Amino acid sequence: MAPGRPARRSRLTWPGRVNMSFPGAGRTGQAGTPAGTARDRQAGGYHRFFSQFTIPVARPPLDAARVTAGSTVLDAGAGPGYAARAARARGAHVVAADLPAAMLACARHADPLLPLVQADAELLPVASGAFTAVVAGFCLPHLADPAAGTAELARALAPGGWLAVSAWDVPARARHTGLLAGAIAEVTGTPPAASAVPGSRLGELLHAAGLDHAECGTLRRMHPVPSAQALWDGLLASPVAAAAAVLRATPATQHRIREHFLTLAAAVTDPGGTVRLPVSAVIGAGQRPAASGPRRPGGYRHSAASPRRPLPGAP
């Protein structure tokens, strides 16, 4: 258990009443740090700019988690609540959870009736087996221990329920962040740091959490941004690792990175000045076993992950 985390969970139960006042809600962040962290401060930039990349990937995890009318759904690491609102539109009963208070404020502004909980995805204040579906869009890379976090998300599943998670593809295919990472590498001579949870690892994490029928699929599309300068400005205001690296650099180094970034962006810019970005994300899903069986630490009954295959609704 990380220092500063409570020794006991205050559990939410489903269906019925959601306790929105468990200890620490609205006051502190992970390990007792004050609200107003860097991610809190960048939540506005995420909502205004980076959400254009994540909103189109909000619904496929709901398909992968088999969310339909009447499902009970936990959206963990919900951010501004795009997936949670999409699940509600399907007639599901939803709770949205995230740690940064500013992200929850964005979700509250967009939908004042959406049930919200301030919580760390690695220590969820929910009863085991409380939900028929759990979704966690681009959440795992933000966790200190993605494997433990995946097991915690799986714990919230009812027997037979589905967990769906997502992660960005490799930078060569996810160019909305890959361009900036590439520019940094050219200037500093240091290759971009590998993601804590690359898309290729999702199946492994689902399997380690004890989920059956692990499956992964890739969603690819082209996304327009009005200009290379708009892309640069928007990324620097967003909570992405490459942007943080730029902001830590000296002004001279920032200028060089920007020049390299604009050069790279020119290769995917059309004659009208619009940047046509290839964007790619990996969606993984697994099912909690419906029947009891041999248990192993950190997960449910052991089962081998299946080969990658298309997800429901994936192109």
Side-chain angles (χ1 to χ4, degrees):
M1 181 179 299
R5 284 181 175 166
R8 298 177 61 188
R9 293 184 181 91
S10 175
R11 298 284 175 93
L12 303 181
T13 56
W14 193 277
R17 296 167 295 282
V18 176
N19 174 13
M20 300 292 287
S21 58
F22 63 91
R27 295 193 300 275
T28 61
Q30 187 171 354
T33 58
T37 62
R39 195 174 177 207
D40 278 346
R41 293 191 297 272
Q42 290 180 308
Y46 180 100
H47 187 53
R48 290 188 300 271
F49 179 80
F50 201 76
S51 60
Q52 65 185 292
F53 304 114
T54 56
I55 288 174
V57 197
R59 289 177 175 80
L62 301 179
D63 298 332
R66 282 63 171 175
V67 173
T68 59
S71 297
T72 55
V73 181
L74 173 65
D75 182 7
Y82 306 124
R85 295 200 299 277
R88 277 187 47 164
R90 297 185 182 196
H93 307 286
V94 184
V95 172
D98 210 335
L99 191 59
M103 284 293 188
L104 294 175
C106 288
R108 173 67 68 209
H109 178 76
D111 184 351
L113 299 180
L114 184 66
L116 300 175
V117 172
Q118 188 174 25
D120 186 340
E122 293 181 81
L123 194 67
L124 293 168
V126 303
S128 296
F131 299 90
T132 62
V134 176
V135 295
F138 307 104
C139 173
L140 297 183
H142 295 286
L143 303 183
D145 186 341
T150 306
E152 175 69 345
L153 296 171
R155 181 188 64 79
L157 283 174
W162 284 82
L163 166 64
V165 296
S166 60
W168 295 118
D169 209 340
V170 295
R173 291 192 288 268
R175 301 303 286 160
H176 62 304
T177 57
L179 287 179
L180 186 55
I184 294 170
E186 287 189 26
V187 171
T188 64
T190 303
S195 170
V197 183
S200 60
R201 194 184 170 201
L202 294 184
E204 167 199 334
L205 290 171
L206 294 167
H207 167 62
L211 300 181
D212 280 344
H213 311 300
E215 56 189 28
C216 292
T218 303
L219 303 177
R220 297 190 178 102
R221 61 191 178 85
M222 297 296 292
H223 187 89
V225 177
S227 68
Q229 184 62 50
L231 179 59
W232 169 264
D233 292 339
L235 286 174
L236 289 195
S238 301
V240 297
V246 173
L247 295 173
R248 288 194 301 265
T250 65
T253 300
Q254 288 186 27
H255 176 76
R256 291 173 59 207
I257 293 172
R258 177 181 175 276
E259 293 304 306
H260 280 275
F261 175 86
L262 295 178
T263 299
L264 293 174
V268 289
T269 300
D270 67 21
T274 299
V275 182
R276 304 286 177 181
L277 282 172
V279 177
S280 182
V282 180
I283 313 295
Q287 184 182 31
R288 179 176 175 181
S292 62
R295 302 284 170 153
R296 56 195 171 93
Y300 299 104
R301 180 167 54 86
H302 178 80
S303 66
S306 64
R308 177 175 292 199
R309 60 180 183 267
L311 298 179

